[in-house]
């Protein structure tokens, strides 16, 4: 809180790797994100992502047998100010969806890799801001849900179908939406393996 303004930081983060490497990346990213936000609580999300990018680049980039190995992080990051009814968003490959009743708006991310500072030096993330109204709903997510194979032809669920489904459940409370999302993807997946972690964060104001 500063000058009477309270902020809530929310992130949807997707780290590459599975098993132990994926778990290690998650731990490191969580620590680096906390460091990037610390002292910058009232900066823009873009500035926080710029800091995270540098921290992750310094931490994770290394060379093995002259082949550079770099794990990646996709993220959607928002700073939500409930008192002002404002949200500020920045993203690296992960978008933010906004619904107002049946109206839909997509906030597109920057295609700048977190951890790619050396290769993309000079590129900066951008903050997009939105004045909210009571009842608005925001979604942050990883690509795991949309990338899940299933259905009668064993194809990806895809973002287009996710948008349609989110629009169709806007009249439901958030807990009910969670159940519908879970039941839908499980039915879609059927007997096929889950291909990736799935994360969808919903916020109704």
């Amino acid at each position: 809180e500063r000058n009477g303004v309270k902020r809530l930081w929310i992130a949807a983060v997707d780290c590459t790797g599975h098993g132990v490497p994926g778990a290690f990346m998650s731990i490191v990213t969580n620590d680096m994100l906390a460091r990037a936000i610390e002292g910058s609580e009232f900066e823009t999300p873009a500035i926080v992502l710029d800091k995270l990018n540098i921290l992750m680049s310094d931490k994770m980039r290394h060379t093995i047998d002259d082949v550079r190995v770099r794990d990646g992080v996709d993220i959607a990051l928002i700073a939500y100010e409930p008192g002002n009814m404002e949200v500020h968003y920045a993203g690296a490959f992960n978008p933010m969806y906004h619904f107002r009743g049946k109206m839909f708006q997509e906030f597109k991310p920057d295609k700048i890799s977190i951890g790619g500072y050396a290769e993309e030096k000079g590129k900066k993330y951008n903050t997009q801001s939105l004045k909210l109204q009571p009842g608005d709903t925001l979604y942050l997510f990883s690509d795991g849900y949309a990338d899940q194979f299933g259905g009668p032809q064993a194809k990806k669920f895809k973002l287009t179908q996710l948008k349609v489904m989110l629009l169709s459940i806007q009249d439901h409370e958030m807990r009910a939406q969670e159940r519908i999302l879970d039941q839908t993807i499980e039915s879609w997946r059927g007997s096929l393996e889950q291909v990736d972690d799935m994360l969808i964060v919903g916020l109704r104001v």
Side-chain angles (χ1 to χ4, degrees):
E1 181 176 350
R2 186 174 73 179
N3 297 327
V5 177
K6 293 182 179 179
R7 262 194 170 182
L8 175 65
W9 286 88
I10 302 174
V13 186
D14 187 14
C15 301
T16 60
H18 297 275
V20 173
F24 176 72
M25 273 296 294
S26 298
I27 293 169
V28 170
T29 303
N30 184 63
D31 179 57
M32 294 295 104
L33 181 58
R35 287 177 57 185
I37 292 175
E38 186 178 3
S40 300
E41 289 87 352
F42 282 86
E43 298 287 358
T44 66
I47 288 176
V48 171
L49 288 192
D50 287 334
K51 291 175 63 177
L52 178 63
N53 190 13
I54 295 169
L55 289 169
M56 291 297 293
S57 297
D58 292 342
K59 183 75 174 178
M60 299 306 301
R61 194 170 58 253
H62 58 281
T63 302
I64 300 177
D65 295 332
D66 295 326
V67 177
R68 183 174 55 76
V69 178
R70 185 184 68 227
D71 292 300
V73 177
D74 297 340
I75 181 172
L77 178 67
I78 65 171
Y80 169 48
E81 299 176 358
N84 295 331
M85 288 294 283
E86 290 182 354
V87 65
H88 310 282
Y89 155 82
F93 291 96
N94 283 359
M96 178 180 76
Y97 285 179
H98 167 239
F99 289 87
R100 179 170 293 162
K102 296 301 181 182
M103 293 175 55
F104 166 75
Q105 186 176 12
E106 178 178 358
F107 289 78
K108 294 185 177 181
D110 292 304
K111 294 184 177 180
I112 306 172
S113 298
I114 294 287
Y117 180 72
E119 291 73 27
E120 300 175 306
K121 197 170 183 178
K123 293 184 179 180
K124 300 290 186 181
Y125 294 95
N126 296 289
T127 294
Q128 302 174 63
S129 298
L130 174 67
K131 191 71 174 178
L132 298 166
Q133 294 181 9
D136 283 6
T137 314
L138 304 172
Y139 298 92
L140 313 175
F141 48 88
S142 67
D143 60 3
Y145 198 102
D147 282 351
Q148 177 60 48
F149 289 97
Q153 296 179 312
K155 292 186 176 181
K156 288 185 178 182
F157 192 83
K158 294 187 177 179
L159 285 175
T160 301
Q161 192 170 191
L162 177 59
K163 293 175 189 176
V164 172
M165 184 173 63
L166 290 174
L167 180 62
S168 72
I169 61 176
Q170 286 306 297
D171 292 337
H172 293 74
E173 296 296 326
M174 300 307 288
R175 287 296 182 187
Q177 290 191 25
E178 180 183 14
R179 289 193 296 271
I180 293 169
L181 285 164
D182 183 56
Q183 292 165 0
T184 299
I185 203 64
E186 285 300 309
S187 175
W188 176 263
R189 183 174 68 86
S191 61
L192 297 179
E193 291 185 3
Q194 183 173 326
V195 298
D196 199 359
D197 297 332
M198 298 181 190
L199 172 64
I200 299 179
V201 181
L203 173 66
R204 175 160 289 163
V205 301

